[in-house]
């Protein structure tokens, strides 16, 4: 194990510093700074190498957390990287973007702050790239089988890398002009600079994975044609259908889906000219929705120069501490202050949006909101509590209802259920040779689940093509997060 007395000598969490708010809102660079290696080792040394490491079940990937903590504490960086990459294709992504359900399951977290697992993971990945330890692993032989992966987010990329290493010829199709899916255009650069994606793509290309950006499957190439061309298909298109808010004024100018807004800014940062870009500069901005996407909109609005930013959530503010109905080792729903919230703005809970109020030229000028009350289990506006909030730009970050179905269902006849692609426990859809991984089959979820499903779906495809597989399968399609 790591330091046998580490958790006794160091009883508090120490996390890497962030750049000052006054500095970071002036650019689009990542907010975090590299932490002190001595602090990192001290935190890794708090890991107790538990007899039953519950952090394993908290992580869908089954990361060997006590082992890479021990190696980090011992200063064996390359060995730590090898151990981490044995279960996780992209630790540089999960170390930045995952909410760390492993830390919620940390045994030390019963009576002390949990080990900083996510921070250790990111530091291992950063060291691995800086020291040239991330090398291509091309297959020893080719099977002669071909696989199309549609979608280049974390699920699609994980499936592609696993299948390429198994010896199959893999082509990844992405309808956007660059590879990466939501990693590329959905997540702001202040959380994930895109060079991080590019350095991993370079490894995958060297291994033999082929990338086809700017190809919209279902339109540029039909699903039928793709199925005839390849021995198997992995659908990893995500769950991109946004949740609608059907209230008066929804069609006013200035009311936009969050992803439309974020995508445009990411394209601008990448150097692409965006005509008529949605911008918060000089505007009163209201963000509806209290999740990660809403926080991304808040941080983006600050950097664009918004006059004010207000975040409204229809539900009650979550508790600051783990609630009784979500005991350890479950991943609890608790109140979070993300980096974007630290940068300013107002957060209001139990706020129901009643109407988008128009000015004389059809633009939104305010939002009419009311307190939320629950009647017969249904949340609704409380009469008599209405008030207006100034709003020149409204961003809807209300979550996603499922995957796009018009071309996949229409051309292949693939079954859908409750907004997602139907599948069995081994990721197979109702269409022969077509598999689904990530949000397209699970619904909107965490990046760590997407990578785990991509790895597991790759194993299922390999078994379908070869009759057996040696690829790991960390989760089944029917597995659920550990949350009440």
């Amino acid at each position: 194990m790591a330091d046998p007395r580490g958790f006794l000598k160091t009883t508090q969490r120490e996390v890497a510093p962030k750049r000052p708010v006054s500095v970071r809102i002036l650019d689009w660079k990542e907010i975090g700074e590299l932490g002190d290696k001595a602090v990192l080792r001290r935190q890794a040394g708090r890991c107790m190498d538990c007899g039953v490491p519950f952090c394993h079940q908290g992580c869908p990937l089954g990361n060997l957390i006590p082992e890479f903590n021990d190696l980090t504490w011992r200063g064996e960086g390359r060995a730590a990287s090898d151990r981490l990459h044995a279960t996780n294709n992209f630790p540089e992504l999960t170390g930045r973007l995952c909410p760390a359900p492993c830390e919620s399951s940390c045994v030390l977290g019963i009576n002390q702050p949990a080990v900083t697992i996510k921070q250790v993971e990111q530091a291992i990945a950063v060291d691995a790239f800086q020291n040239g330890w991330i090398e291509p692993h091309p297959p020893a032989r080719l099977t002669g089988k071909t696989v199309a992966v549609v979608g280049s987010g974390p699920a699609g990329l994980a499936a592609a890398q696993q299948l390429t290493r198994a010896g199959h010829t893999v082509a990844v199709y992405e309808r956007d002009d660059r590879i990466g899916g939501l990693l590329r255009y959905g997540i702001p650069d202040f959380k994930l600079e895109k060079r991080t994606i590019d350095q991993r793509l370079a490894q995958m290309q060297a291994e033999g994975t082929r990338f086809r950006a700017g190809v919209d499957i279902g339109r540029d190439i039909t699903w039928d044609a793709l199925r005839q061309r390849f021995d198997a298909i992995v659908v990893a298109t995500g769950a991109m259908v946004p949740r609608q808010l059907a209230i008066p004024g929804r069609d006013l100018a200035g009311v936009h889906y969050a992803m439309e807004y974020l995508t445009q800014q990411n394209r601008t940062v990448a150097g692409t000219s965006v005509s008529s870009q949605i911008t918060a500069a000089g505007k009163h901005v209201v963000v509806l929705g209290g999740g990660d996407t809403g926080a991304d909109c808040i941080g983006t609005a600050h950097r664009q120069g918004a006059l004010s930013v207000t975040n409204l959530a229809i539900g009650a503010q979550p508790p600051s501490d783990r609630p009784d109905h979500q005991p350890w080792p479950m991943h609890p729903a608790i109140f979070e202050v993300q980096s974007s919230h630290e940068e300013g703005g107002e957060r209001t809970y139990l706020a129901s949006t009643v109407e988008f109020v128009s000015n004389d030229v059809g633009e939104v000028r305010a939002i009419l909101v009311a307190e939320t009350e629950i009647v017969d289990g249904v949340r609704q506006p409380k009469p008599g509590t209405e008030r207006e909030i100034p709003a020149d730009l409204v961003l809807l970050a209300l979550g996603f209802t499922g995957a796009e179905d018009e071309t996949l269902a229409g051309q292949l006849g693939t079954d859908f259920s409750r907004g997602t692609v139907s599948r069995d426990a081994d990721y197979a859809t109702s269409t022969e040779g077509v598999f689904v991984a990530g949000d397209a089959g699970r619904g909107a979820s965490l990046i760590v689940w997407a990578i785990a499903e991509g790895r597991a779906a790759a194993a299922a495809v390999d078994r379908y093509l070869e009759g057996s597989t040696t690829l790991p399968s960390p989760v089944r399609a029917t597995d659920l997060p550990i949350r009440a």
Side-chain angles (χ1 to χ4, degrees):
M1 65 182 290
D3 186 351
R5 295 183 58 81
F7 67 96
L8 298 175
K9 294 187 296 183
T10 305
T11 59
Q12 297 300 316
R13 284 168 63 94
E14 300 168 279
V15 297
K18 301 171 188 172
R19 294 193 295 140
V21 169
S22 60
V23 174
R24 72 192 195 217
I25 63 171
L26 299 177
D27 60 40
W28 299 93
K29 297 178 182 178
E30 288 185 14
I31 62 165
E33 296 180 343
L34 293 178
D36 187 327
K37 286 187 179 280
V39 172
L40 189 76
R41 289 189 62 198
R42 190 158 59 238
Q43 285 298 304
R46 296 177 66 227
C47 179
M48 301 188 295
D49 192 21
C50 307
V52 179
F54 278 80
C55 54
H56 283 194
Q57 63 85 33
C59 175
L61 286 165
N63 283 341
L64 305 174
I65 295 165
E67 296 182 25
F68 69 65
N69 275 330
D70 176 57
L71 291 165
T72 298
W73 178 72
R74 296 178 186 278
E76 300 180 26
R78 178 149 197 171
S81 173
D82 291 342
R83 201 63 50 91
L84 180 53
H85 280 89
T87 56
N88 185 352
N89 296 71
F90 314 126
E92 70 279 9
L93 301 179
T94 53
R96 287 172 168 86
L97 304 175
C98 184
C102 55
E103 293 185 6
S104 299
S105 300
C106 175
V107 174
L108 188 59
I110 295 174
N111 57 9
Q112 281 189 23
V115 175
T116 58
I117 300 169
K118 177 179 174 178
Q119 179 175 296
V120 172
E121 183 174 320
Q122 180 181 354
I124 292 172
V126 169
D127 279 352
F129 277 107
Q130 288 181 344
N131 289 287
W133 299 333
I134 305 299
E135 301 170 335
H137 297 283
R141 65 176 184 87
L142 294 177
T143 64
K145 305 293 175 54
T146 58
V147 182
V149 176
V150 183
S152 65
L157 292 179
Q161 186 167 61
Q162 293 294 97
L163 288 165
T164 297
R165 290 176 173 179
H168 305 299
T169 300
V170 179
V172 178
Y173 290 89
E174 169 59 54
R175 67 182 175 186
D176 283 327
D177 60 338
R178 302 182 188 186
I179 298 296
L182 282 184
L183 298 170
R184 177 74 63 182
Y185 286 135
I187 297 173
D189 284 63
F190 59 80
K191 290 175 65 174
L192 176 67
E193 291 185 38
K194 306 318 174 197
R195 62 185 179 186
T196 302
I197 305 171
D198 294 334
Q199 61 190 3
R200 183 62 74 175
L201 294 179
Q203 181 204 31
M204 295 180 64
Q205 285 180 310
E207 292 172 347
T209 301
R210 304 172 184 182
F211 295 105
R212 303 287 184 263
V215 180
D216 190 354
I217 300 300
R219 292 180 172 84
D220 298 326
I221 301 174
T222 67
W223 286 97
D224 290 312
L226 195 73
R227 182 67 190 91
Q228 293 171 12
R229 189 181 302 180
F230 289 87
D231 296 308
I233 296 174
V234 177
V235 178
T237 51
M240 292 298 296
V241 179
R243 180 169 283 109
Q244 181 60 271
L245 183 60
I247 62 172
R250 170 61 186 88
D251 58 348
L252 293 176
V255 181
H256 302 276
Y257 288 121
M259 203 52 62
E260 178 186 7
Y261 170 69
L262 294 173
T263 296
Q264 289 187 2
Q265 181 56 47
N266 281 345
R267 291 184 184 277
T268 298
V269 174
T272 302
S273 177
V274 177
S275 61
S276 302
Q277 180 182 351
I278 304 166
T279 179
K283 296 178 181 178
H284 295 289
V285 179
V286 177
V287 179
L288 303 185
D292 291 341
T293 304
D296 293 345
C297 290
I298 293 170
T300 300
H302 288 316
R303 285 161 179 78
Q304 289 181 338
L307 289 178
S308 68
V309 181
T310 304
N311 186 203
L312 304 181
I314 192 172
Q317 179 176 320
S320 298
D321 299 317
R322 183 188 289 274
D324 292 339
H325 69 280
Q326 291 177 328
W328 178 90
M330 292 179 176
H331 188 51
I334 58 176
F335 181 69
E336 292 183 87
V337 179
Q338 298 191 29
S339 63
S340 295
H341 302 132
E342 298 171 350
E343 295 163 1
E346 178 183 346
R347 303 173 74 180
T348 302
Y349 288 87
L350 290 175
S352 292
T353 305
V354 178
E355 180 182 354
F356 300 120
V357 183
S358 175
N359 62 14
D360 294 336
V361 293
E363 300 168 334
V364 65
R365 68 164 182 83
I367 289 184
L368 186 66
V369 299
E371 295 178 9
T372 302
E373 66 175 355
I374 300 177
V375 178
D376 297 328
V378 178
R379 294 182 296 194
Q380 61 187 37
K382 183 178 180 180
T385 64
E386 295 85 357
R387 62 187 177 95
E388 282 192 4
I389 297 176
D392 306 307
L393 174 63
V394 179
L395 300 171
L396 306 181
L398 305 173
F400 303 90
T401 60
E404 298 174 359
D405 62 358
E406 54 182 297
T407 60
L408 182 59
Q411 295 175 12
L412 280 184
T414 304
D415 292 339
F416 277 68
S417 175
R418 301 180 66 180
T420 58
V421 183
S422 300
R423 59 188 185 175
D424 63 19
D426 293 316
Y427 301 91
T429 71
S430 59
T431 304
E432 175 72 19
V434 178
F435 298 77
V436 63
D439 291 0
R442 170 174 288 274
S445 188
L446 307 180
I447 183 173
V448 70
W449 275 99
I451 297 172
E453 287 212 356
R455 290 170 63 88
V461 172
D462 189 40
R463 187 181 305 110
Y464 168 78
L465 295 174
E466 298 293 295
S468 63
T469 185
T470 58
L471 293 177
S473 183
V475 292
R476 291 173 68 80
T478 50
D479 288 346
L480 297 174
I482 307 299
R483 172 176 278 180

